[in-house]
Amino acid sequence: MAATATTNGAHANGIHLNGTDIDAKFAEQNEMNGFSPENIPPSEFHERIQKVQAALEPANLVGLLAFGDCWRGANICYFTHFRPLDGVSDIANSLFFLPANGPPALFVSIQCLSYAQTISTFPVYTFNDLASHLQKFSASNSGKLGLAGADYIPADLLDRVKAALGSVELVETSVLAEIKAVKSEREIALIRKASLLADAAMAAIRDTLADGKPHTERELALIADQAMLAGGAERTAYDSMVQAGPRSAFNLARPTDRVLQPGNLVMTDIGARYRGYVADGGRGFTYGPASEDKIAIVKAAARAVEAGLAEGKAGMTCAELNAVIQRSIVKSGYEEFSSEARGHGTGHGTGMDPEEEQPWIGPGNQTVLREGMVFTLKATITVPGVGGLRTERIVRVLPEGHESGRGIEALDQFPMELYW
Amino acid sequence: MAATATTNGAHANGIHLNGTDIDAKFAEQNEMNGFSPENIPPSEFHERIQKVQAALEPANLVGLLAFGDCWRGANICYFTHFRPLDGVSDIANSLFFLPANGPPALFVSIQCLSYAQTISTFPVYTFNDLASHLQKFSASNSGKLGLAGADYIPADLLDRVKAALGSVELVETSVLAEIKAVKSEREIALIRKASLLADAAMAAIRDTLADGKPHTERELALIADQAMLAGGAERTAYDSMVQAGPRSAFNLARPTDRVLQPGNLVMTDIGARYRGYVADGGRGFTYGPASEDKIAIVKAAARAVEAGLAEGKAGMTCAELNAVIQRSIVKSGYEEFSSEARGHGTGHGTGMDPEEEQPWIGPGNQTVLREGMVFTLKATITVPGVGGLRTERIVRVLPEGHESGRGIEALDQFPMELYW
């Protein structure tokens, strides 16, 4: 944290609650876990909890129940450094319970309990206590409890939650998705760092291909991952994609042992994770002497994303920004070769997970872009018999009247027109 | 594949179905994806489908519905090279449907469809076709459909499945878990390779610490991950754990910026993924001059796992093998400091995911160990105020009467008693 000690020892930038400096209160945690000024401090988690709590009653909710798992952890990680662990049992799951009027509680596997307690700023229980906790809440509350993470909560866990809630009705809510879509300065700094690590991956691929020797998709993905780790990434954001020649037409795929051939169009989608935040990047390139039709695809995708970068700004709706990119792809003549051009959306929220629900940059979405929102802008073009790519940038919305004169800033730097 | 061409061009070791060489039939796939003799070939996937299909009627099932996601993909990856991709939407999910009498079908997101089709040996559809496919099946079948992956299937998807099944009853089944618990030679070779990559990670940590400079948990996890990638791992099996001093007491946790201190006990749990197969390893070590009570913990955990390695064999039940390790920990005096000693189980199946359901090495489990089963053997010892570790090996069951005289072989090699 960037706090400066004041004369009475309290941190000048710390949050005070009833005279208690929250960051100081959790100094013990910092000591156990080592202190990195890059990490989200307890005071910022506390602010978030208060902000979400304050939004519940206006949304006609008596509370929030947020589900997250090891890989889609944003709904949990928004409130704590804890993210569940990999596995087929409940070690992979977590529930964050926040009453509109009451203290929060986190539920984790018993195998994660002591760890979760040392990195959270509120009480943590095991799933054994979930039913009684919810029952007690429903005995003295009536109304609607908002569920975040409804799309991926396991059936078994959802059944247990509903059984314990009694007359309190569980409804899907977007309250959390809306609030976490606006990133803080610290979050943006971490996403920026992750983005530059993803850029380093592209540079490593470029430099490897410059040797003129044969390389496979798999090998290049490995080199990309090594570059991100070498720069300090704690891991990849997701499994790196490198797809050459005919495989460049696949929207989503995994690398194979296919050797890149001169003249190929190559699709890549590579991201890094850094201190709980991720970059979700995409760059396509031509390899060796390439035909005009492939070069045209690279150009058209770059033009489309550039249009979004140039025109996006606070106050615009997601639908309007989507239309800018969609129009550009259509104007380039690729309407039938692009899902974005056909209205499937040109970007998605990102931050603690590669994909967050909001803001979704797509047709019909009247959500207004606000300063601090972070999302991707992308153009995917796939022409049968030629190849394809996805050009994807990570961007943040700047304050209105920003000194740069721009409305949007790209957090990643790597160029989009790549002819290697 | 290790096939040798015969005089008529068919592969000598290939599976023939009605005179068709299955591997030759999918030669086009091999050409698109590059051919690696390490990969599971189409003929082996075909054998597996036949084996599972043949087990359905004896289990009183009219079919199997197997759910897998991006991170718990084993139920899908047993049948195809396809594994879903990371995300909050249906791109992360897949369902494999196998009637007892009928052809299999794989259901994936539309964004993965063409990719999945180029690496599967049976028809692939999108989730849009799921309901009609299941409805058609239930119109001409009655009885029970077995569900694999019940613990982590999302609620929403399960509801859609049940709605489409009509009168066909969905029941949990362990048929798939039992069959995939026995690994083929190719699978064992891949797990062995992943295990040696995890060993390389431990060597890298050891060599780093030898410089006598300060290192954090986070830094060592990064070095471990870099070593695995440098050896050819496509990624880590899960997020590497390095926990020092008081943090070594956590059963499951994530690395922090804590600096290792001389005298610390350090817990690690690190694994690699290689061509679809993983290693799940665990080693604890003392760092610098350590107290007797810490050294004793390292020894006791090693003794316990060694006992399992020495006595395990085909024909023994999982419960009997569990008892060997459990008894050793109790005999060492750590009964109250070890979950394994208290009957929580001393190992789990592993292979395509770090954790597979079978075989579970635990009390009461009468499942008989069979040649080719692969699982972990572990001992976790945690003493408050001293520290803890988890010593975990990956092992396979040898054929009865193996020339080595042993019943079990460790696939990883790194020593267990580590005093660094």
Side-chain angles (χ1 to χ4, degrees), chain B residues 78-257:
Chain B
Y78 190 63
F79 301 105
T80 164
H81 280 300
F82 177 77
R83 190 155 54 98
L85 282 297
D86 187 291
V88 293
S89 69
D90 69 353
I91 66 174
N93 301 328
S94 185
L95 280 168
F96 179 75
F97 178 61
L98 183 63
N101 298 296
L106 183 70
F107 297 90
V108 303
S109 160
I110 190 171
Q111 296 189 70
C112 305
L113 181 67
S114 31
Y115 165 55
Q117 286 169 336
T118 63
I119 50 169
S120 303
T121 61
F122 42 78
V124 186
Y125 309 93
T126 75
F127 283 113
N128 287 344
D129 291 329
L130 178 66
S132 59
H133 203 98
L134 293 179
Q135 280 156 7
K136 193 177 301 181
F137 177 79
S138 80
S140 48
N141 284 273
S142 62
K144 299 187 202 300
L145 182 66
L147 175 66
D151 283 348
Y152 41 90
I153 186 170
D156 182 57
L157 186 58
L158 182 60
D159 285 347
R160 286 164 57 196
V161 163
K162 284 179 169 172
L165 280 176
S167 61
V168 168
E169 187 191 352
L170 196 64
V171 297
E172 287 187 42
T173 181
S174 59
V175 162
L176 176 56
E178 287 162 15
I179 289 174
K180 68 179 172 69
V182 177
K183 281 16 184 190
S184 71
E185 287 301 320
R186 278 195 191 85
E187 293 184 286
I188 288 166
L190 291 171
I191 297 168
R192 194 190 298 274
K193 202 149 181 179
S195 302
L196 297 179
L197 290 169
D199 285 351
M202 294 312 301
I205 291 177
R206 176 198 63 209
D207 295 344
T208 299
L209 289 173
D211 70 4
K213 296 178 184 169
H215 297 286
T216 68
E217 295 174 343
R218 194 183 146 79
E219 196 193 331
L220 293 176
L222 177 59
I223 280 161
D225 293 357
Q226 288 176 308
M228 292 188 283
L229 291 195
E234 59 218 32
R235 50 155 295 174
T236 59
Y238 44 87
D239 295 334
S240 300
M241 300 181 215
V242 179
Q243 299 156 210
R247 299 195 77 252
S248 69
F250 298 146
N251 189 339
L252 295 169
R254 293 178 180 282
T256 69
D257 296 282

Side-chain angles (χ1 to χ4, degrees), chain A residues 202 205-206 209-210 220 243-245 248 260-268 283-300 386-391 414-420:
Chain A
M202 293 311 302
I205 290 176
R206 176 197 63 208
L209 289 174
L220 293 177
Q243 299 156 208
S248 70
L260 268 65
Q261 299 299 326
N264 276 172
L265 185 52
V266 183
M267 188 275 222
T268 76
R283 296 289 190 284
F285 59 88
T286 61
Y287 173 56
S291 56
E292 280 307 313
D293 49 7
K294 295 191 181 87
I295 291 170
I297 289 174
V298 176
K299 280 194 189 309
V386 180
L389 49 56
R390 174 165 50 256
T391 300
F414 209 79
M416 292 185 281
E417 282 198 61
L418 308 170
Y419 311 107
W420 294 342

Side-chain angles (χ1 to χ4, degrees), chain B residues 17-92:
Chain B
L17 180 69
N18 299 333
T20 306
D21 181 302
I22 288 182
D23 289 330
K25 179 179 175 190
F26 292 98
E28 226 178 85
Q29 285 191 358
N30 285 341
E31 204 197 318
M32 166 172 271
N33 301 323
F35 173 69
S36 168
E38 286 186 293
N39 282 348
I40 307 296
S43 52
E44 189 162 326
F45 283 123
H46 187 83
E47 281 178 36
R48 293 174 182 179
I49 290 168
Q50 289 188 311
K51 190 184 300 183
V52 173
Q53 207 164 27
L56 295 175
E57 269 172 22
N60 197 25
L61 298 172
V62 296
L64 171 77
L65 189 62
F67 172 78
D69 63 24
C70 176
W71 315 275
R72 293 153 304 187
N75 288 342
I76 302 298
C77 298
Y78 190 63
F79 301 105
T80 164
H81 280 300
F82 177 77
R83 190 155 54 98
L85 282 297
D86 187 291
V88 293
S89 69
D90 69 353
I91 66 174

Side-chain angles (χ1 to χ4, degrees), chain A residues 31-36 39 69-72 81 83-89 91-93 109 111-112 114-115 118-119 150-156 158 218 222 225-226 229-235 237-239 241 246-247 249-258 274-275 353-357, chain B residues 31-36 39 69-72 81 83-89 91-93 111-112 114-115 118-119 150-156 158 218 222 225-226 229-239 241 246-247 249-258 274-275 353-357:
Chain A
E31 204 196 319
M32 167 172 270
N33 301 322
F35 174 70
S36 168
N39 282 347
D69 63 25
C70 175
W71 315 277
R72 293 154 302 188
H81 280 299
R83 189 154 55 98
L85 282 297
D86 188 290
V88 293
S89 70
I91 66 173
N93 300 329
S109 160
Q111 296 188 69
C112 305
S114 33
Y115 166 54
T118 64
I119 50 168
D151 283 348
Y152 41 90
I153 186 170
D156 181 58
L158 182 60
R218 194 181 146 79
L222 177 58
D225 293 357
Q226 287 175 309
L229 291 194
E234 61 220 28
R235 49 156 294 174
Y238 44 86
D239 296 335
M241 299 180 215
R247 300 194 77 251
F250 298 147
N251 189 339
L252 294 170
R254 294 178 181 281
T256 69
D257 296 284
R258 184 186 182 88
Y274 183 77
R275 292 189 180 277
D353 296 329
E355 192 181 347
E356 288 189 36
E357 304 90 334
Chain B
E31 204 197 318
M32 166 172 271
N33 301 323
F35 173 69
S36 168
N39 282 348
D69 63 24
C70 176
W71 315 275
R72 293 153 304 187
H81 280 300
R83 190 155 54 98
L85 282 297
D86 187 291
V88 293
S89 69
I91 66 174
N93 301 328
Q111 296 189 70
C112 305
S114 31
Y115 165 55
T118 63
I119 50 169
D151 283 348
Y152 41 90
I153 186 170
D156 182 57
L158 182 60
R218 194 183 146 79
L222 177 59
D225 293 357
Q226 288 176 308
L229 291 195
E234 59 218 32
R235 50 155 295 174
T236 59
Y238 44 87
D239 295 334
M241 300 181 215
R247 299 195 77 252
F250 298 146
N251 189 339
L252 295 169
R254 293 178 180 282
T256 69
D257 296 282
R258 185 186 180 89
Y274 184 77
R275 292 190 179 277
D353 296 329
E355 192 180 347
E356 288 190 36
E357 303 90 335

